[in-house]
Amino acid sequence: DGGITQSPKYLFRKEGQNVTLSCEQNLNHDAMYWYRQDPGQGLRLIYYSQIVNDFQKGDIAEGYSVSREKKESFPLTVTSAQKNPTAFYLCASSWAGSTQYFGPGTRLLVL
Amino acid sequence: RKEVEQDPGPFNVPEGATVAFNCTYSNSASQSFFWYRQDCRKEPKLLMSVYSSGNEDGRFTAQLNRASQYISLLIRDSKLSDSATYLCVVNKNSGGYQKVTFGIGTKLQVIP
């Protein structure tokens, strides 16, 4: 089955802790994206990557980091510098300039 | 002014009704447009692309008005299963990258 997977479905973070959200796709898409969704707000772009070993900051990159070592994988780390991390995190992928397809999302909660 | 604006609703409509949502965008250089559907606590899923000539997919019709910078979604014969949030999405080519902007979504509740 082709698609985008994200894990875990729920993640709990303690104060001062870094956590990493996984995103994998087997659609052979070049581009991958991370978004954050908060209640009453649209999706906001955190980071995106158009090719392996290259990525750019989106609109709200502070407190987050990413890597793109493989075409299939685009993990997102929420660092302790992100003071309000509780949100629904969505990963998406696409061929360059084409429609984005989303993974099922990860809900991050702060303990 | 927000790049993409939508009425968040909720729109409460009876089963079988026709309902329409509009979405306005601020950047006249925007190139492609989409409607996504998002169910509660789920990821957005592509509903349909929007073309200037208008396009239809079953009970759903999407229209683009470039002169007035808005797109619309019409749902005929609403079903209970249509209850969801509908996201307007606008793409613009920015330095070789497709900048994608999502609206906050319009919530639709179809009631029996």
Side-chain angles (χ1 to χ4, degrees):
Chain A
D1 263 310
I4 306 173
T5 58
Q6 288 185 244
S7 61
K9 188 172 181 178
Y10 296 96
L11 186 58
F12 298 92
R13 193 190 93 163
K14 295 179 182 178
E15 290 283 342
Q17 187 181 36
N18 292 355
V19 291
T20 298
L21 285 60
S22 168
C23 178
E24 305 275 332
Q25 54 97 2
N26 61 5
L27 301 168
N28 201 32
H29 286 166
D30 294 309
M32 296 186 75
Y33 312 82
W34 274 105
Y35 294 91
R36 168 181 173 141
Q37 189 175 36
D38 295 278
Q41 296 198 44
L43 275 68
R44 292 184 290 167
L45 182 66
I46 304 172
Y47 269 98
Y48 64 97
S49 167
Q50 294 180 275
I51 55 172
V52 174
N53 292 323
D54 187 51
F55 49 82
Q56 284 78 42
K57 293 182 179 180
D59 301 318
I60 55 165
E62 188 174 347
Y64 300 97
S65 66
V66 293
S67 63
R68 187 88 187 274
E69 296 176 4
K70 298 186 299 181
K71 188 175 185 178
E72 302 79 21
S73 179
F74 191 40
L76 173 75
T77 296
V78 184
T79 75
S80 57
Q82 173 48 245
K83 297 305 178 190
N84 185 22
T86 297
F88 187 36
Y89 290 86
L90 288 157
C91 178
S93 69
S94 72
W95 284 289
S98 187
T99 310
Q100 294 186 14
Y101 294 89
F102 287 85
T106 292
R107 290 195 181 274
L108 178 60
L109 300 165
V110 177
L111 295 176
Chain B
R1 183 184 172 188
K2 288 184 181 177
E3 286 189 62
V4 178
E5 295 208 57
Q6 290 185 256
D7 181 344
F11 284 54
N12 296 314
V13 302
E15 222 175 339
T18 295
V19 61
F21 311 132
N22 280 343
C23 164
T24 58
Y25 60 95
S26 60
N27 193 327
S28 60
S30 298
Q31 295 165 301
S32 55
F33 309 87
F34 305 89
W35 283 103
Y36 279 71
R37 171 192 169 129
Q38 186 173 24
D39 292 290
C40 187
R41 303 179 74 81
K42 299 284 189 180
E43 75 273 26
K45 292 185 178 178
L46 179 67
L47 180 66
M48 58 198 304
S49 303
V50 188
Y51 305 114
S52 297
S53 54
N55 48 301
E56 191 173 304
D57 182 2
R59 299 180 292 109
F60 297 82
T61 301
Q63 290 267 324
L64 166 63
N65 185 317
R66 284 194 183 271
S68 301
Q69 293 182 207
Y70 75 84
I71 68 173
S72 64
L73 177 68
L74 181 79
I75 306 175
R76 290 181 297 279
D77 188 22
S78 300
K79 310 291 184 192
L80 296 176
S81 57
D82 294 333
S83 298
T85 297
Y86 291 84
L87 306 176
C88 168
V89 180
V90 175
N91 281 14
K92 186 179 85 70
N93 196 335
S94 176
Y97 156 67
Q98 285 286 329
K99 178 172 167 54
V100 180
T101 305
F102 288 79
I104 63 170
T106 297
K107 186 171 183 178
L108 171 65
Q109 185 70 46
V110 181
I111 50 182

